[in-house]
Amino acid sequence: FTPEERVAVPEARVRVVAPRTLRDLVRVKTRSRLGRYELAQKHPLPGASDRKRLWSILRSVQWGPSLPWRGAVYLWVNMAVRLRAGLRLRAGQLQGWDRDQVSRG
């Protein structure tokens, strides 16, 4: 959008609630990735790819003496999300997305 097409509304408020559990994080991220897959199916862009090589995922993790578990969790979530979204896409389950029940008070 151009600056002329944007409007700031000071009265508008947004409440963002982070997922409280690992399970809910995977659900939210699966829903997001599945939406990206659906958008790519409906409006493909030439040369666009969502593929990330394992090496580039490994490089994106900041490894250090105190961070190995964080890196492992990051990789596990990333792989679980891609697997779940890919399975749902192949099964044609683009409707009925998972909901993060914990953050829905």
Side-chain angles (χ1 to χ4, degrees):
F1 296 99
T2 65
E4 297 79 30
E5 296 174 306
R6 294 181 231 158
V7 176
V9 182
E11 300 83 23
R13 300 284 181 241
V14 176
R15 180 175 174 239
V16 177
V17 180
R20 294 184 189 162
T21 67
L22 194 57
R23 171 185 249 170
D24 287 330
L25 175 64
V26 170
R27 285 179 175 163
V28 168
K29 292 191 67 62
T30 298
R31 182 171 65 234
S32 173
R33 182 158 297 274
L34 196 54
R36 288 172 42 196
Y37 287 166
E38 184 178 11
L39 184 62
Q41 274 187 341
K42 290 183 178 182
H43 305 284
L45 296 173
S49 173
D50 187 47
R51 295 227 156 168
K52 212 184 226 187
R53 303 269 181 227
L54 180 58
W55 183 245
S56 69
I57 293 171
L58 287 170
R59 279 190 313 206
S60 69
V61 176
Q62 293 183 2
W63 298 99
S66 65
L67 300 177
W69 289 109
R70 292 178 187 177
V73 170
Y74 172 82
L75 292 174
W76 182 87
V77 168
N78 196 307
M79 301 311 283
V81 165
R82 289 170 181 268
L83 177 65
R84 290 183 82 229
L87 290 171
R88 291 192 59 183
L89 180 70
R90 283 189 284 285
Q93 297 175 348
L94 296 175
Q95 303 301 321
W97 290 357
D98 291 334
R99 286 175 39 142
D100 170 17
Q101 297 297 341
V102 174
S103 67
R104 297 181 183 271

